[in-house]
Amino acid sequence: QVELVESGGGSVESGGSLTLSCTASTFQFNTYCMGWFRQDVGKEREPVATISSHGRTNYADSVKDRFTISRDDSKKIMTLQMTSLKPEDTTTYTCAAVRSFTCRTYADFRSGYWGQGIQVTVSS
Protein backbone atom coordinates (compact mmCIF):
# COMPACT_ATOMS: atom_id res chain seq x y z
CA GLN A 1 0.00 0.00 0.00
CA VAL A 2 1.48 3.31 -1.12
CA GLU A 3 0.92 6.28 1.12
CA LEU A 4 1.70 9.97 0.68
CA VAL A 5 1.22 12.25 3.67
CA GLU A 6 1.34 16.03 3.46
CA SER A 7 2.24 18.35 6.30
CA GLY A 8 3.08 21.99 6.89
CA GLY A 9 -0.05 23.72 5.70
CA GLY A 10 -1.88 26.41 7.59
CA SER A 11 -2.72 30.08 7.54
CA VAL A 12 -0.35 32.94 6.82
CA GLU A 13 -0.58 36.60 5.93
CA SER A 14 0.12 37.86 2.48
CA GLY A 15 3.85 38.07 1.88
CA GLY A 16 4.56 35.28 4.32
CA SER A 17 6.12 31.87 3.82
CA LEU A 18 5.22 28.25 4.36
CA THR A 19 6.93 24.96 3.63
CA LEU A 20 4.89 21.93 2.67
CA SER A 21 6.28 18.43 3.03
CA CYS A 22 5.18 15.18 1.47
CA THR A 23 6.41 12.00 3.09
CA ALA A 24 6.22 8.77 1.12
CA SER A 25 6.27 5.18 2.30
CA THR A 26 6.63 1.69 0.93
CA PHE A 27 7.97 2.31 -2.54
CA GLN A 28 11.15 3.22 -4.34
CA PHE A 29 10.82 6.93 -3.89
CA ASN A 30 13.87 7.73 -6.01
CA THR A 31 12.28 6.25 -9.13
CA TYR A 32 9.16 8.41 -8.97
CA CYS A 33 8.30 11.77 -10.39
CA MET A 34 6.80 13.89 -7.64
CA GLY A 35 4.55 16.88 -7.80
CA TRP A 36 2.40 19.36 -5.95
CA PHE A 37 -1.01 20.14 -7.31
CA ARG A 38 -3.73 22.58 -6.43
CA GLN A 39 -7.40 22.03 -6.79
CA ASP A 40 -9.85 24.87 -6.72
CA VAL A 41 -13.57 24.36 -6.43
CA GLY A 42 -15.06 23.37 -9.74
CA LYS A 43 -11.73 23.05 -11.46
CA GLU A 44 -9.47 20.18 -12.37
CA ARG A 45 -6.30 19.69 -10.44
CA GLU A 46 -3.41 21.62 -11.91
CA PRO A 47 0.29 21.32 -11.26
CA VAL A 48 2.00 23.86 -9.06
CA ALA A 49 5.45 22.31 -9.25
CA THR A 50 6.88 18.98 -10.28
CA ILE A 51 10.24 17.32 -9.92
CA SER A 52 11.44 14.32 -11.88
CA SER A 53 13.37 11.39 -10.47
CA HIS A 54 16.49 13.10 -11.86
CA GLY A 55 15.69 16.38 -10.18
CA ARG A 56 14.35 18.33 -13.15
CA THR A 57 11.82 20.86 -11.94
CA ASN A 58 8.86 22.60 -13.53
CA TYR A 59 6.72 25.36 -12.12
CA ALA A 60 3.43 26.97 -12.90
CA ASP A 61 3.98 30.50 -14.18
CA SER A 62 2.08 31.88 -11.21
CA VAL A 63 4.60 30.54 -8.71
CA LYS A 64 7.90 30.87 -10.55
CA ASP A 65 10.52 32.71 -8.50
CA ARG A 66 8.36 32.31 -5.38
CA PHE A 67 8.10 28.55 -4.83
CA THR A 68 10.86 25.95 -4.77
CA ILE A 69 10.29 22.21 -5.03
CA SER A 70 12.92 19.77 -3.82
CA ARG A 71 13.29 16.16 -2.84
CA ASP A 72 15.38 14.12 -0.44
CA ASP A 73 15.37 10.56 -1.71
CA SER A 74 17.17 9.21 1.35
CA LYS A 75 14.36 10.47 3.57
CA LYS A 76 11.58 9.91 1.01
CA ILE A 77 10.44 13.50 1.41
CA MET A 78 9.46 16.13 -1.10
CA THR A 79 9.09 19.72 -0.03
CA LEU A 80 7.59 22.88 -1.45
CA GLN A 81 9.03 26.10 -0.08
CA MET A 82 6.52 28.87 -0.66
CA THR A 83 7.55 32.48 -0.26
CA SER A 84 5.91 35.83 -0.99
CA LEU A 85 2.55 34.14 -0.63
CA LYS A 86 -0.49 35.82 -2.12
CA PRO A 87 -4.19 35.41 -1.35
CA GLU A 88 -4.62 33.67 -4.71
CA ASP A 89 -2.29 30.92 -3.48
CA THR A 90 -5.07 29.90 -1.11
CA THR A 91 -6.22 26.39 -1.97
CA THR A 92 -5.77 22.72 -1.11
CA TYR A 93 -2.35 21.43 -2.09
CA THR A 94 -1.95 17.74 -2.83
CA CYS A 95 1.21 15.79 -3.45
CA ALA A 96 1.41 13.08 -6.06
CA ALA A 97 3.84 10.45 -7.25
CA VAL A 98 4.05 8.59 -10.51
CA ARG A 99 6.47 6.48 -12.47
CA SER A 100 6.42 8.14 -15.85
CA PHE A 101 8.75 9.38 -18.60
CA THR A 102 6.96 12.70 -18.41
CA CYS A 103 5.68 14.29 -15.24
CA ARG A 104 4.57 17.84 -15.86
CA THR A 105 0.81 17.73 -16.19
CA TYR A 106 -2.13 16.37 -14.28
CA ALA A 107 -2.58 13.77 -17.01
CA ASP A 108 0.94 12.50 -16.36
CA PHE A 109 0.13 11.95 -12.69
CA ARG A 110 -3.46 10.82 -12.95
CA SER A 111 -2.62 7.12 -12.73
CA GLY A 112 -0.20 7.62 -9.86
CA TYR A 113 -0.56 7.98 -6.13
CA TRP A 114 -2.10 10.93 -4.34
CA GLY A 115 -2.08 12.32 -0.86
CA GLN A 116 -5.13 13.57 1.01
CA GLY A 117 -4.36 17.23 0.49
CA ILE A 118 -3.52 20.04 2.85
CA GLN A 119 -5.04 23.49 3.13
CA VAL A 120 -3.06 26.68 2.69
CA THR A 121 -4.82 29.95 3.42
CA VAL A 122 -3.24 33.31 2.69
CA SER A 123 -4.99 36.35 4.10
CA SER A 124 -4.66 39.82 2.67
Side-chain angles (χ1 to χ4, degrees):
Q1 183 72 25
V2 174
E3 185 175 11
L4 300 173
V5 179
E6 302 99 337
S7 61
S11 298
V12 65
E13 292 186 350
S14 181
S17 301
L18 281 175
T19 297
L20 304 183
S21 296
C22 174
T23 303
S25 63
T26 73
F27 66 98
Q28 294 176 314
F29 184 81
N30 63 325
T31 66
Y32 280 75
C33 296
M34 302 295 296
W36 287 99
F37 289 76
R38 63 179 292 158
Q39 185 167 21
D40 301 305
V41 176
K43 295 184 178 181
E44 188 175 79
R45 280 172 173 161
E46 57 183 33
V48 174
T50 62
I51 184 166
S52 74
S53 59
H54 300 292
R56 176 175 291 182
T57 59
N58 286 285
Y59 296 92
D61 288 341
S62 61
V63 306
K64 281 181 180 177
D65 300 323
R66 298 190 299 123
F67 291 10
T68 302
I69 189 171
S70 61
R71 62 189 296 160
D72 185 333
D73 291 345
S74 66
K75 296 180 180 179
K76 298 182 180 181
I77 293 177
M78 172 184 64
T79 61
L80 183 69
Q81 294 178 296
M82 305 186 292
T83 65
S84 302
L85 283 162
K86 305 175 181 180
E88 51 263 44
D89 295 321
T90 296
T91 191
T92 298
Y93 289 81
T94 307
C95 73
V98 70
R99 276 180 171 159
S100 174
F101 290 112
T102 60
C103 55
R104 300 181 63 173
T105 68
Y106 173 57
D108 293 332
F109 282 83
R110 188 177 296 166
S111 63
Y113 302 100
W114 294 82
Q116 292 298 308
I118 193 164
Q119 179 67 31
V120 170
T121 302
V122 184
S123 59
S124 57

